[in-house]
Amino acid sequence: MRRYLDPNQLNVAPGAARHLPLVWMLLAASATVLGLSLYPLWHELGLLNQVKAQQAALTLSMRKDAVAQRKQLADQGSSDALERDKIKAQLQESVHMSWDGIFDALEVAADTVHAGVSILSLAPARVHGTATQLNISALAANVPIMLAYIEALKRDPRVSQAEIITQQPDEKVGPAVIRFRLSVTLNPKITVAHAAREPASAPLATSSAPQGKLVGTQPGILAPLPLVPLAPTAIGRASAPPVPARR
Amino acid sequence: MTRTNIVVSVAANHLTLDVMQPAPGQSFRSTWQRWLAYLYGQDADNTRIVESITVRGSTKQQGLATVFQQGLAALKQSRFGALADCAVHVVLGPSASHVGLLDLVTDGNVKLSDADRRAYIDVWVSQNWGLEPSDYDLRCIPMGTGGRYLVTAIARSVVETIDALCKQEKLHMRSCMPALAIQLAEQLKREMPRPSANDTPTPQALEVSALLERGLDGERAGTVQFVVCNIAGQLSITRMWLPTAGQVADTVAIQQVVARLCAQHRSVQAPRITMVDWPHAHTKGTPA
């Protein structure tokens, strides 16, 4: 038989407490114990999250630095590239501007020495402001022809300066043959339009002096002109094969 | 923990408001006891009645609100004064409440759900007491493991009326229960008298307590509730109407009922009969 009856279980009052205060206190105590036991874990989790956040921030800053560096390099490179492009454009402009002129100048000069000089190579050296400097490697039949060639170049209005850089005999080619290098500075006053107005293919020298034959028009290296052996001390005229029209 | 309790005893023809406060001169021991009592939902110190108001009038239906308001007004005008924040404990007499025992025995393999149990109780209440379950606040607690339940029914209108009036006066309605439930709890706490070694064992000796609702003039109300216990622990609760004292003496009428109960429980021993007058006799045991 039930020996205990709690009348509160029969309480029908609307505002009656459904649980004893003891129950609430036990619940509060349990919650407190649970909270105290979980607090260290929560604290550790907070520290862990903090460390992770710091790591993420550090990684992000490192990435940003790397990106900034790359961007800086890219800017430099782009600026360098722009500079190079600018120089190239200037060079190309000046070279393009003067290619026709320099070819004509070289051929006119060669005419004067009756093809006693063969151009081995031609390459732009540097650009001085708007002036273009070319390095020309050539072979001359002899020293007077070489000197005459240089003088002829100097007299050309398209050339502002022509100077010998090096010279040395090249007996493998022939006796008294001089291999020399010239530094030719083009006249900057000759503009593209002026150069364009010049005959695209400057007529070759009317003289029947042996002329060289241009094989290619690429700047830098030209096919060597056929070297017509001449008398070492005279500017001679010799028959030469017809020169095809220059492109 | 409210220090002041107002016990409202609702009888058929009157209503009593007893204001109870803790006894003076608290010691460490009494404070500790108070805390323990508080943890268990009780207040052991509220045993001193500082004010008592009784209002005569019918507490049936609409009369309850009128009588209760009169009582609160009289209480405010008394030396007690302010009523705000006091706890109100309502105790309903036999005429305003129903208490019974329901045997809902099933075999071990059948487990009733709460809904099924509630359905059985509703049917039992309507058939046994002739009440509409939806109009009453029913409470059901198991008595042991044998499928026996203590069922109480209190009219919702009574609860709602008192609750509304309490809110008007800023009172806190903390409890509302039948007086017999308190009586039964006290009875179960008392140990049944154990037979001595020389006595012949009497397993069928009964203890019958009758809860009698008394009016202001001492007259007994017609409704009486009987609680029957035996040494083996079986209980039965019977609610019946007995002729008033003007016609038949109380003791005679009660003894007649007790005789019938003894015969019902097949007891040949002389029962121990206890007649408990209510209200007034239960103010001490009212839970906070």
Side-chain angles (χ1 to χ4, degrees):
Chain A
M1 184 191 74
R2 186 188 177 99
R3 300 303 299 181
Y4 172 74
L5 173 64
D6 182 11
N8 290 317
Q9 290 182 296
L10 305 174
N11 190 357
V12 299
R18 295 303 170 198
H19 299 283
L20 297 175
L22 177 63
V23 175
W24 291 114
M25 289 187 65
L26 288 175
L27 181 64
S30 302
T32 303
V33 169
L34 186 64
L36 289 175
S37 59
L38 289 179
Y39 175 77
L41 178 63
W42 172 79
H43 185 63
E44 293 295 327
L45 285 175
L47 289 176
L48 180 63
N49 288 336
Q50 194 176 357
V51 169
K52 284 185 178 178
Q54 288 176 353
Q55 281 183 344
L58 183 62
T59 305
L60 185 62
S61 67
M62 289 174 63
R63 284 183 185 169
K64 283 184 179 176
D65 291 342
V67 170
Q69 275 187 353
R70 279 192 230 122
K71 186 178 179 183
Q72 188 178 6
L73 288 174
D75 291 341
Q76 281 182 353
S78 64
S79 66
D80 292 343
L82 284 175
E83 185 66 24
R84 284 195 297 271
D85 289 344
K86 181 180 176 183
I87 293 173
K88 184 179 176 183
Q90 286 180 348
L91 182 61
Q92 286 183 347
E93 183 178 341
S94 63
V95 171
H96 176 73
M97 169 179 68
S98 303
W99 273 125
D100 295 335
I102 193 61
F103 288 152
D104 290 337
L106 291 176
E107 289 197 11
V108 168
D111 289 341
T112 59
V113 295
H114 301 289
V117 172
S118 293
I119 303 297
L120 299 179
S121 68
L122 187 152
R126 67 170 66 88
V127 177
H128 294 285
T130 57
T132 302
Q133 183 179 347
L134 302 176
N135 290 337
I136 299 174
S137 299
L139 290 172
N142 50 43
V143 173
I145 290 176
M146 178 187 71
L147 294 175
Y149 183 77
I150 293 172
E151 288 300 324
L153 278 179
K154 285 182 178 180
R155 286 195 298 272
D156 194 302
R158 290 165 287 207
V159 176
S160 63
Q161 192 177 4
E163 292 179 357
I164 295 177
I165 300 175
T166 60
Q167 61 176 14
Q168 60 185 19
D170 190 352
E171 293 182 355
K172 292 180 181 178
V173 178
V177 171
I178 301 297
R179 182 186 293 272
F180 64 98
R181 290 188 64 202
L182 283 178
S183 173
V184 176
T185 303
L186 303 179
N187 190 345
K189 295 183 180 178
I190 304 299
T191 62
V192 175
H194 188 68
R197 280 199 293 273
E198 289 176 357
S201 57
L204 297 174
T206 54
S207 64
S208 59
Q211 299 293 331
K213 174 175 70 177
L214 292 178
V215 176
T217 57
Q218 284 186 354
I221 297 177
L222 291 177
L225 298 174
L227 184 63
V228 178
L230 295 174
T233 58
I235 300 175
R237 295 174 181 266
S239 62
V243 177
R246 193 156 50 88
R247 287 183 289 176
Chain B
M1 184 165 57
T2 306
R3 300 297 300 269
T4 300
N5 294 336
I6 299 177
V7 179
V8 180
S9 300
V10 180
N13 295 320
H14 70 279
L15 183 141
T16 304
L17 289 88
D18 296 324
V19 180
M20 304 180 71
Q21 286 184 340
Q26 299 175 2
S27 63
F28 171 78
R29 185 177 177 182
S30 62
T31 303
W32 173 245
Q33 288 177 341
R34 286 177 57 235
W35 270 106
L36 282 179
Y38 168 73
L39 290 177
Y40 284 95
Q42 301 175 1
D43 195 343
D45 278 347
N46 282 7
T47 58
R48 187 168 68 102
I49 299 176
V50 296
E51 187 66 46
S52 182
I53 301 291
T54 300
V55 181
R56 189 188 295 270
S58 173
T59 58
K60 301 291 183 184
Q61 296 179 353
Q62 304 299 327
L64 176 62
T66 304
V67 175
F68 191 48
Q69 281 178 331
Q70 291 176 0
L72 291 177
L75 202 59
K76 280 192 288 187
Q77 292 174 0
S78 69
R79 56 175 177 160
F80 180 70
L83 300 178
D85 293 332
C86 293
V88 173
H89 300 275
V90 181
V91 182
L92 302 173
S95 59
S97 62
H98 293 76
V99 182
L101 285 176
L102 167 63
D103 286 321
L104 195 60
V105 181
T106 61
D107 57 9
N109 296 327
V110 177
K111 292 194 183 295
L112 292 177
S113 63
D114 291 341
D116 292 339
R117 189 178 300 109
R118 182 57 189 247
Y120 276 114
I121 292 171
D122 289 347
V123 171
W124 183 81
V125 166
S126 64
Q127 291 181 354
N128 200 38
W129 293 336
L131 305 176
E132 176 58 43
S134 60
D135 295 336
Y136 286 79
D137 273 326
L138 303 180
R139 290 289 184 270
C140 174
I141 57 174
M143 301 289 284
T145 58
R148 173 164 287 187
Y149 295 89
L150 180 68
V151 182
T152 64
I154 296 174
R156 288 186 198 276
S157 59
V158 172
V159 180
E160 291 169 357
T161 299
I162 296 177
D163 186 44
L165 292 174
C166 286
K167 286 178 180 175
Q168 282 183 4
E169 300 294 335
K170 297 182 181 179
L171 298 170
H172 305 284
M173 184 178 176
R174 293 294 172 83
S175 68
C176 180
M177 61 184 69
L180 183 61
I182 303 172
Q183 168 69 15
L184 192 59
E186 293 181 355
Q187 188 176 11
L188 289 175
K189 284 181 185 177
R190 293 196 303 269
E191 290 187 358
M192 292 293 292
R194 297 183 182 278
S196 62
N198 297 329
D199 292 344
T200 305
T202 54
Q204 294 183 347
L206 296 180
E207 179 179 341
V208 181
S209 61
L211 186 63
L212 309 175
E213 184 176 312
R214 297 288 182 184
L216 290 178
D217 299 329
E219 74 278 11
R220 179 181 56 81
T223 306
V224 180
Q225 287 179 320
F226 293 89
V227 179
V228 181
C229 303
N230 64 4
I231 198 168
Q234 293 179 357
L235 294 175
S236 66
I237 299 176
T238 307
R239 183 178 187 270
M240 61 180 65
W241 183 87
L242 295 181
T244 57
Q247 299 174 4
V248 179
D250 288 345
T251 53
V252 172
I254 290 171
Q255 284 176 354
Q256 290 174 353
V257 172
V258 171
R260 290 202 296 272
L261 291 173
C262 291
Q264 179 182 355
H265 292 282
R266 296 188 178 86
S267 172
V268 297
Q269 300 290 330
R272 192 167 66 180
I273 302 173
T274 304
M275 290 190 291
V276 180
D277 290 334
W278 185 87
H280 304 297
H282 295 279
T283 54
K284 285 187 179 180
T286 304

